[in-house]
Amino acid sequence: MSLTDITIVEVGLRDGLQNEETILSTTVKQALVTRLIDAGVMELEVTSFVHPRWIPQLADAAQFAESLPREEGVRYRALVPNRKGLERALSTPIDEYAVFLSASETHNQKNINKSIAETIPVLKETVELAIEKGKRVRGYVSTVFGCPYEGDVSLKQVVEICEKLLEMGVYEISLGDTIGVATPNQVREKLKTLTKEIPVTKVAGHFHDTRGTALVNAYVALEEGVRTLDTSFGGLGGCPYAPGAAGNMATEDLVYMLEGMGVKTGINLEKLCQVSRLAGRHLGKTLPSKVLQSEGMREEEIEQ
Amino acid sequence: MSLTDITIVEVGLRDGLQNEETILSTTVKQALVTRLIDAGVMELEVTSFVHPRWIPQLADAAQFAESLPREEGVRYRALVPNRKGLERALSTPIDEYAVFLSASETHNQKNINKSIAETIPVLKETVELAIEKGKRVRGYVSTVFGCPYEGDVSLKQVVEICEKLLEMGVYEISLGDTIGVATPNQVREKLKTLTKEIPVTKVAGHFHDTRGTALVNAYVALEEGVRTLDTSFGGLGGCPYAPGAAGNMATEDLVYMLEGMGVKTGINLEKLCQVSRLAGRHLGKTLPSKVLQSEGMREEEIEQ
């Protein structure tokens, strides 16, 4: 497998934090983003412009977005649920946006409070306005590999949603294993079928490590031609009801694997582990990344 | 990848426990082995007949071995370092033995207190006596993918050691990523080269999850034709100096992946998680298996 031009999208500040019980202050988030950039992270999804009521962890979206350090080559991303959210985001220096929906009807209803059919036009007007304003938009499709309510999710449904997102103008679709149930053969088979309809260059992988399979699923996705993977520093985002349970694929673990495979990620693992230890102290827990834990939980003096 | 006849060798009671700080009583070990069998585990490496001084966690080797429940189809295995250890083991109902050495000179010296050249004849007389007594012997080669003292380990050295072990009469060689540094491309390349000299049917994979790569390395090993993998229930065996750090590949995590790939392992995941929770309570810690942790740390009433 020849691996070039791999993009790691760091989603810890958004997908990670929104699943943590503890709410971090904007000041702490600023410290984390600054250190992530110092560790070499270039693509950062930092917040979500949903209504503050829904995700209190990200209620400071506009304020945090306004305060982001400007560094050459760094791109900031944010989720926008609809036109209203996008309008709030457009007044901030966020570089690109992401819209989202679920491939499972029940999950979409519970998460967005709309049917999939009702969600599509909402996303369409959002994507169109963003593009009109000169911004790129990514699409997230969640529960691609399984739904907590419906179990198996039809790949035909996933492909249809992807096609609609691409028609709207999204440049990339991130396929989410939202509850971390995927296994490698399933990832390979679904990607082989899906990429007959959707170019693999437009596909990203978003794996959760709930059952330990994130890295092997990412490996298989790379073998199938996917070149963009979403991760959270420290593996942030575990379920608050299962102490120690894993969240997103940990950035540290993916970086360790990729570097061992000869890929230059540009990310300094030691510095990244320091960021995760800092976040862990503020969240009052040890983050689940195995690479982080193998570093031995050293209590470095990190100025805040 | 067509997957049939996969053997999972449960090494938690030996490789797992020998790396845990807390020493479990023989009674607790008996409860664990009984429950592992009830969960469907058939191949169990249960102890090591090294001098009790070296591994106090396994100092009850003979007593524990004598007390093992006899169940049809279940095979018990134990490590024997030399002829003296084997002689102690031969008086117990252990079904088969394993000898061990390291592919790294420094690691072998620190672990066995002999050079590799000095170790070979010790293993030879041990294997020959075991075979004379009608027993199968497995060979472990550790630090195949990296050594904590020497870094990279020569594959030529690994192949030479494997050839010597096969000449002695071992039926299988378990290649150990003792410190959990391997990444998938390395596993693939080393296995491709090694299996030009050693039949893949005689090779087992023994991966540690220290940096989160055990499952992906196991997946690649399966792709390369390996059909026997070593695991520890709960992922037992983390380093006592790094709380939360992972040990062996967790049986739960491998079983989850394999079942998701259509392999019938015969192991009941729910029952297995109960065994790991019981062990965790006795060890005073949460075991690192992700599948176990995703089950939510329920405090079931488990009679002891």
Side-chain angles (χ1 to χ4, degrees), chain A residues 1 3 180-186 188 209-213 215-216 219-220 223 241-246 253 256-262 286 288-291 293-297, chain B residues 1 3 180-186 188 209-213 215-216 219-220 223 241-246 253 256-262 286 288-291 293-297:
Chain A
M1 168 165 45
L3 292 168
V181 288
T183 48
N185 277 17
Q186 190 192 10
R188 195 185 300 286
D209 202 27
T210 322
R211 288 163 188 83
T213 56
L215 218 49
V216 63
Y219 177 82
V220 167
E223 282 193 326
Y241 308 110
D253 298 1
Y256 180 81
M257 181 177 85
L258 288 175
E259 295 277 343
M261 294 165 71
T286 298
S289 158
K290 300 266 182 182
V291 167
Q293 298 190 348
S294 77
E295 292 271 311
M297 311 294 120
Chain B
M1 167 166 43
L3 291 169
V181 288
T183 49
N185 276 18
Q186 190 192 7
R188 195 184 301 286
D209 202 28
T210 323
R211 288 162 188 84
T213 56
L215 217 49
V216 63
Y219 178 82
V220 167
E223 282 193 326
Y241 308 111
D253 298 2
Y256 180 82
M257 181 177 85
L258 288 176
E259 295 278 342
M261 292 165 72
T286 297
S289 157
K290 299 269 182 185
V291 167
Q293 298 190 348
S294 77
E295 292 272 310
M297 310 295 119

Side-chain angles (χ1 to χ4, degrees), chain B residues 34-284:
Chain B
T34 304
R35 286 160 192 276
L36 284 169
I37 293 167
D38 184 53
V41 178
M42 303 293 272
E43 299 283 340
L44 300 109
E45 192 176 86
V46 290
T47 193
S48 173
F49 287 86
V50 296
H51 194 288
R53 188 172 54 220
W54 301 120
I55 309 181
Q57 295 92 332
L58 308 180
D60 64 349
Q63 189 196 346
F64 180 40
E66 291 292 353
S67 76
L68 292 165
R70 295 318 306 176
E71 298 279 351
E72 206 183 314
V74 170
R75 287 183 66 78
Y76 296 114
R77 299 147 176 250
L79 249 61
V80 289
N82 50 35
R83 190 177 167 115
K84 204 167 161 191
L86 174 63
E87 282 165 356
R88 285 172 60 218
L90 277 168
S91 68
T92 71
I94 294 292
D95 298 297
E96 70 170 72
Y97 306 115
V99 294
F100 55 96
L101 81 170
S102 180
S104 138
E105 197 60 68
T106 315
H107 188 265
N108 199 70
Q109 191 75 50
K110 299 227 180 213
N111 200 35
I112 303 184
N113 214 17
K114 286 186 179 62
S115 70
I116 292 172
E118 288 162 348
T119 307
I120 295 288
V122 173
L123 303 191
K124 188 167 186 290
E125 66 164 3
T126 311
V127 173
E128 285 174 355
L129 176 58
I131 290 170
E132 198 184 303
K133 299 290 183 184
K135 300 287 190 178
R136 290 207 304 181
V137 186
R138 179 187 225 206
Y140 276 105
V141 182
S142 57
T143 68
V144 167
F145 301 93
C147 165
Y149 310 107
E150 297 183 11
D152 289 344
V153 170
S154 144
L155 187 61
K156 190 163 161 282
Q157 169 94 326
V158 174
V159 171
E160 281 171 15
I161 289 172
C162 290
E163 283 170 341
K164 286 189 179 120
L165 287 168
L166 291 175
E167 277 166 31
M168 288 175 204
V170 311
Y171 76 96
E172 177 177 272
I173 294 161
S174 179
L175 301 173
D177 181 19
T178 312
I179 54 169
V181 288
T183 49
N185 276 18
Q186 190 192 7
V187 173
R188 195 184 301 286
E189 285 155 25
K190 292 213 175 203
L191 282 175
K192 276 198 192 304
T193 307
L194 185 129
T195 54
K196 283 178 192 156
E197 313 295 331
I198 314 289
V200 72
T201 50
K202 294 193 177 293
V203 173
H206 181 100
F207 299 107
H208 281 238
D209 202 28
T210 323
R211 288 162 188 84
T213 56
L215 217 49
V216 63
N217 291 337
Y219 178 82
V220 167
L222 291 169
E223 282 193 326
E224 293 302 321
V226 171
R227 287 295 172 268
T228 300
L229 293 164
D230 301 351
T231 60
S232 283
F233 62 102
L236 266 174
C239 171
Y241 308 111
N248 285 84
M249 173 159 65
T251 313
E252 287 92 332
D253 298 2
L254 180 65
V255 167
Y256 180 82
M257 181 177 85
L258 288 176
E259 295 278 342
M261 292 165 72
V263 178
K264 299 289 171 223
T265 62
I267 295 176
N268 180 315
L269 259 185
E270 203 177 312
K271 286 187 176 183
L272 187 59
C273 286
Q274 283 176 9
V275 189
S276 297
R277 278 192 285 269
L278 176 62
R281 280 201 286 279
H282 284 287
L283 294 166

